[in-house]
Amino acid sequence: QKRKIIVAIDGPAASGKSTTARKVSGMLGYTYIDTGAMFRCVTLKAAREGLLEKVHREPVVIEPLLSSLTIEFDRDRVFLDGSDVTDAIRDNGVSREVSFISSLKPVRDRLKEMQRRMGDERGVVMDGRDIGTVVFPDAELKIFLVADPAERARRRYAELESKHGAEGLPSPDELEQEIIQRDRDDRGRTHAPLRKHEDAVELDTSALSIEEQVDMVYRLAMERISA
Ligand code: CDP
Ligand code: CDP
């Protein structure tokens, strides 16, 4: 029986975190936890309860919503309070509001507690913005993925186009501006800002294929498991 570790993968939007985390978790037989999806769930719940506008003026209105919140992952699906929201949380409206909701301390505290519970037996690959710095600073392997913003916008565009077709999509330029703005918000916030932990291995994926980046992270994980 090999020892189980935690693999923390952080980085800016569309740097390849979830693609890498999903594949590496499959290869290791670990659970994959997409923490961005959890922040998106809170944002969707606030939108569905008609609270988005109000929470900008009065952030405390988010608190009652957090006490009743449940989030579950089942294979590739995400469930918010028991219903499947996998597609709904990728909505553009959610993407625009998620960085604001993620900047609120009660939201971060609640999700951190859930994330720590999900990883308490180790054997997880968790991706997000603050996994190596705040949620699991003791993760045996910390990865920080980066890539050129124009390349990240191209990837996001290709992904949206393959899912929904080209019609009605924001242009790659608009996507790039959105990505740059979200990165700036995530880096600039007070609570758990996006940054590289000093022990994290930084990988620039701009010129890597998915196979190459998966292979690099998998090798590092195998090294740490047998260390
Ligand atoms: O997939 P994409 O990079 O577009 O974003 P995501 O990983 O789904 O995360 C959406 C947003 O949630 C981020 O822009 C952050 O504002 C927030 N987030 C966070 O604050 N902390 C995390 N650990 C994960 C996500
Ligand atoms: O989770 P995060 O937002 O960091 O990125 P992602 O959703 O894993 O990746 C964004 C898009 O880039 C996906 O469609 C990937 O297939 C693609 N991609 C990649 O992740 N790595 C490459 N080397 C090339 C493309």
Side-chain angles (χ1 to χ4, degrees):
Q1 186 74 18
K2 282 207 182 104
R3 78 174 183 132
K4 287 184 174 170
I5 66 167
I6 289 178
V7 180
I9 304 184
D10 292 303
S15 54
K17 300 180 297 297
S18 62
T19 309
T20 309
R22 183 170 283 117
K23 295 216 169 139
V24 170
S25 67
M27 291 161 86
L28 294 171
Y30 282 14
T31 304
Y32 166 48
I33 298 162
D34 175 354
T35 67
M38 299 173 77
F39 286 92
R40 288 173 180 273
C41 280
V42 176
T43 307
L44 180 66
K45 185 163 172 158
R48 287 184 171 173
E49 297 191 9
L51 288 173
L52 273 187
E53 217 177 294
K54 196 159 186 213
V55 79
H56 280 271
R57 282 178 277 123
E58 263 182 273
V60 291
V61 303
I62 202 78
E63 287 181 30
L65 173 157
L66 295 172
S67 47
S68 64
L69 175 78
T70 70
I71 298 171
E72 282 138 346
F73 292 97
D74 185 13
R75 274 159 257 141
D76 280 355
R77 312 304 293 176
V78 189
F79 295 82
L80 166 63
D81 300 334
S83 67
D84 187 335
V85 295
T86 315
D87 297 317
I89 59 170
R90 301 291 152 197
D91 187 86
N92 252 330
V94 171
S95 298
R96 271 194 298 274
E97 291 291 339
V98 63
S99 284
F100 171 71
I101 296 295
S102 304
S103 71
L104 305 173
K105 179 125 194 321
V107 173
R108 303 212 71 86
D109 287 346
R110 177 80 180 97
L111 293 192
K112 180 168 67 183
E113 175 198 314
M114 294 170 77
Q115 289 153 6
R116 286 193 175 154
R117 217 175 327 116
M118 291 171 168
D120 66 358
E121 290 174 22
R122 308 191 95 76
V124 300
V125 180
M126 200 176 278
D127 82 343
R129 301 292 185 288
D130 63 337
I131 309 309
T133 50
V134 173
V135 180
F136 286 112
D138 64 344
E140 288 82 355
L141 177 59
K142 302 182 186 75
I143 301 286
F144 196 79
L145 292 184
V146 297
D148 176 59
E151 171 61 20
R152 291 190 278 132
R154 265 195 298 278
R155 292 175 182 176
R156 230 342 95 78
Y157 186 85
E159 185 180 74
L160 290 170
E161 193 182 26
S162 75
K163 260 191 223 151
H164 311 289
E167 208 175 324
L169 283 193
S171 69
D173 272 356
E174 285 168 313
L175 279 175
E176 186 176 342
Q177 289 317 309
E178 275 179 33
I179 283 176
I180 289 172
Q181 183 58 49
R182 192 140 59 86
D183 290 351
R184 196 180 294 139
D185 292 343
D186 291 343
R187 289 184 198 277
R189 69 184 174 216
T190 308
H191 307 295
L194 169 66
R195 66 176 183 84
K196 178 187 165 297
H197 187 285
E198 56 179 7
D199 297 340
V201 179
E202 180 166 320
L203 268 184
D204 187 331
T205 71
S206 305
L208 294 181
S209 68
I210 292 170
E211 292 68 31
E212 287 169 324
Q213 81 202 30
V214 166
D215 187 60
M216 282 169 143
V217 175
Y218 176 71
R219 279 167 197 267
L220 288 167
M222 292 307 285
E223 256 172 56
R224 302 297 156 94
I225 288 168
S226 39

